[in-house]
Amino acid sequence: MTEELETPKNNDHELVAKTQGGDPQAFDELVIRYTPRLYGLVYNMTSNHEDTNDLLQDIFAKAYRSICSFRGKSSFTTWMHSISVNMTINFLKKRKRRQHPSLNDPDSSIENDPDFIAATSQGDPLSEISIHELQKKLNAAMMKLSHDHRVVVTMFDIQGIPHAAIAKILGISEGTVRSRLFYAHRQLQNTLHEFKRQ
Amino acid sequence: MSNESMHRVIKLKRYEQPPEGYYENFLREFHYRQRAELLNPSLVMLMKERLSLWMSEFRVPTLAYAGVATIALIISAAIIKAPSSSISGDSPAAYAASYTQTPVTIQKMEPVSLRLDSSMGSGDSLPTSYLLQAHPASHELPLSF
């Protein structure tokens, strides 16, 4: 169910060491490698493409500036995710005033996804709705969550990061991660049920 | 909706992707922004840079620390010695014997009259501030200037 967070760890170390040694191309390689997964993390927290792009640029700039302070106590992936989560939460706190997600078109392969077919089949509260509607409803439901809850849902449910890795990134216990997930799921269920009634 | 189906529905958000070609352009934009930052550094960065430059120029030679420490030692030794030399005599008794003070003498005092001066009775001129006025303050009209 969950993809491993630490997959490219060994190679990361090499690239990090090269960057610390003054090779900027090694950092470019890290940017290419981490952009898609960090995009997912930041986008699902902000629900806005432009904000995600700006934030990602800032995240990589910060990582580049402080890469010399990275001592390898945690994996580079954990380190990058921590920077991303902290910067995104700070950004969201500042952005409270406006809340208009830009809905990017979902990948067309969603229609073949068994989970999508199951979700839009009969007997499900989300049946009879289009992809775009589903996207809108999910985003709206996500935006109703607190930042702390949204980040665990994004990492666990969307990105498939295991509880232990989430705990490391956020600097909290695994029990707290599970508890936040439980409450976040309950809130999401209530919100999506409200949509069904409407 | 069960927890499992909730998880499956949320997982569908993975399909929300950035516009085509986004990842290819991302690195280019990153380089562009880095160069722009170098060309237009922020005020804080400029201040930091100038401060570090100034600090690097401001180098104190190692011998100066030794000099300052010696001067401090000499001054503190002088302060410690100073009170004993200012007192004349070797013992407290000798110091007390040498201490003289002129006695205070009070001259003969004249009685002071507290009677009001008869020339001020008419009220034409204002009484001096140390004499009591004829009416209490509560008898005065408000806002009478």
Side-chain angles (χ1 to χ4, degrees), chain B residues 73-142:
Chain B
L73 269 174
I74 291 165
I75 291 171
S76 51
I79 291 167
I80 292 164
K81 272 211 156 191
S84 61
S85 63
S86 68
I87 299 167
S88 63
D90 295 333
S91 65
Y95 174 72
S98 69
Y99 184 81
T100 53
Q101 192 180 13
T102 48
V104 179
T105 52
I106 302 166
Q107 291 172 352
K108 196 183 172 185
M109 293 175 78
E110 294 293 328
V112 178
S113 172
L114 294 174
R115 197 170 294 166
L116 285 173
D117 192 356
S118 58
S119 64
M120 289 173 66
S122 62
D124 294 329
S125 59
L126 284 170
T128 46
S129 61
Y130 56 82
L131 291 174
L132 288 173
Q133 292 185 24
H135 321 283
S138 57
H139 284 201
E140 284 178 8
L141 288 172

Side-chain angles (χ1 to χ4, degrees), chain A residues 135-154:
Chain A
Q135 192 188 6
K136 263 170 76 175
K137 287 175 187 359
L138 279 173
N139 277 337
M142 285 285 284
M143 282 298 136
K144 282 192 172 179
L145 296 176
S146 71
H147 300 152
D148 287 341
H149 286 165
R150 206 185 307 161
V151 75
V152 287
V153 168
T154 301

Side-chain angles (χ1 to χ4, degrees), chain A residues 28 43-44 49 53-54 57 64-65 104 106-107 113 115 118 135 139 157-158 185 188-189 193, chain B residues 1 3 6-19 22 26 29-31 33-34 37:
Chain A
D28 286 353
Y43 173 74
N44 287 303
H49 173 71
N53 180 51
D54 287 344
Q57 293 285 347
Y64 188 63
R65 278 198 299 270
N104 301 320
D107 196 313
D113 188 291
D115 289 334
Q135 192 188 6
N139 277 337
D157 292 306
I158 305 171
H185 283 172
L188 282 171
Q189 277 171 343
H193 271 291
Chain B
M1 188 189 281
N3 213 27
M6 166 67 58
H7 175 71
R8 277 190 281 119
V9 168
I10 299 168
K11 221 165 77 171
L12 295 173
K13 277 180 68 65
R14 284 176 309 179
Y15 289 100
E16 288 174 30
Q17 294 294 320
Y22 172 77
F26 184 82
E29 194 183 331
F30 180 63
H31 289 159
R33 285 196 188 201
Q34 274 195 320
E37 203 175 301

Side-chain angles (χ1 to χ4, degrees), chain A:
Chain A
M1 184 182 85
T2 54
E3 67 184 54
E4 276 298 311
L5 180 69
E6 316 284 342
T7 325
K9 187 175 162 184
N10 295 331
N11 207 349
D12 279 357
H13 270 293
E14 207 175 292
L15 290 169
V16 169
K18 278 185 181 177
T19 311
Q20 287 174 334
D23 179 2
Q25 281 185 334
F27 190 75
D28 286 353
E29 189 59 45
L30 288 168
V31 172
I32 293 166
R33 183 175 290 181
Y34 278 91
T35 304
R37 65 164 75 185
L38 292 182
Y39 181 91
L41 173 66
V42 177
Y43 173 74
N44 287 303
M45 291 281 290
T46 61
S47 286
N48 183 288
H49 173 71
E50 288 78 23
D51 289 344
T52 305
N53 180 51
D54 287 344
L55 256 171
L56 267 187
Q57 293 285 347
D58 291 346
I59 287 164
F60 281 114
K62 183 173 181 154
Y64 188 63
R65 278 198 299 270
S66 44
I67 199 156
C68 288
S69 66
F70 175 71
R71 298 269 169 259
K73 282 179 189 168
S74 62
S75 71
F76 183 71
T77 315
T78 305
W79 189 69
M80 279 304 297
H81 274 75
S82 299
I83 292 176
S84 308
V85 168
N86 289 335
M87 287 184 72
T88 308
I89 289 178
N90 284 342
F91 169 81
L92 288 172
K93 281 176 188 169
K94 286 179 197 163
R95 195 189 70 168
K96 260 183 183 175
R97 64 191 184 278
R98 60 197 171 91
Q99 199 66 265
H100 40 82
S102 70
L103 297 173
N104 301 320
D105 288 333
D107 196 313
S108 56
S109 55
I110 190 172
E111 289 170 67
N112 303 319
D113 188 291
D115 289 334
F116 177 73
I117 296 163
T120 53
S121 64
Q122 283 179 0
D124 195 285
L126 295 166
S127 60
E128 306 296 323
I129 59 171
S130 70
I131 299 165
H132 200 73
E133 270 180 311
L134 174 65
Q135 192 188 6
K136 263 170 76 175
K137 287 175 187 359
L138 279 173
N139 277 337
M142 285 285 284
M143 282 298 136
K144 282 192 172 179
L145 296 176
S146 71
H147 300 152
D148 287 341
H149 286 165
R150 206 185 307 161
V151 75
V152 287
V153 168
T154 301
M155 285 199 275
F156 181 77
D157 292 306
I158 305 171
Q159 297 208 291
I161 300 172
H163 294 108
I166 297 172
K168 268 188 186 175
I169 291 167
L170 299 179
I172 54 175
S173 71
E174 246 187 274
T176 310
V177 173
R178 286 175 196 276
S179 149
R180 284 183 188 177
L181 267 174
F182 172 79
Y183 286 109
H185 283 172
R186 208 165 64 173
Q187 200 183 328
L188 282 171
Q189 277 171 343
N190 291 338
T191 313
L192 291 173
H193 271 291
E194 276 172 28
F195 283 132
K196 188 196 171 191
R197 282 195 215 107
Q198 285 167 6

